[in-house]
Amino acid sequence: MLNAEGFVSECTGDNIFIVKPAQMFTPPLSAGALYGITRGVVIGLGRDLGLPVSEPNLTRYDLFNADECFAYRNRC
């Protein structure tokens, strides 16, 4: 789903993450990403694995060109 500014915010009930060469990205909360425990856990696991994790505004182009993309159901 896109927010009013055209940036990727989430799936219909899931957080979205992309992986590009040795780095993980997820939309920031300010873009409308779902806040929850699961999101924090996935970010923490990525960092534990040594992946730099950042939260930039993402576009559809970023998703199309990611090495990997996954969504994770948020459990609050």
Side-chain angles (χ1 to χ4, degrees), residues 7-28:
F7 293 112
V8 175
S9 60
E10 62 181 16
C11 295
T12 56
D14 310 299
N15 291 109
I16 190 160
F17 298 85
I18 64 172
V19 178
K20 291 188 177 184
Q23 196 169 10
M24 186 166 67
F25 302 90
T26 190

Side-chain angles (χ1 to χ4, degrees), residues 37-60:
I37 295 168
T38 305
R39 180 179 187 272
V41 168
V42 172
I43 290 170
L45 289 171
R47 289 182 176 147
D48 289 347
L49 292 171
L51 285 175
V53 179
S54 60
E55 301 175 58
N57 282 315
L58 298 174
T59 64
R60 289 179 289 173

Side-chain angles (χ1 to χ4, degrees), residues 5 45 74 76:
E5 296 160 341
L45 289 171
N74 202 2
C76 295

Side-chain angles (χ1 to χ4, degrees), residues 5 22 34 45 61-62 70 75:
E5 296 160 341
L34 297 167
L45 289 171
Y61 181 84
D62 294 318
F70 64 96
R75 304 280 187 232

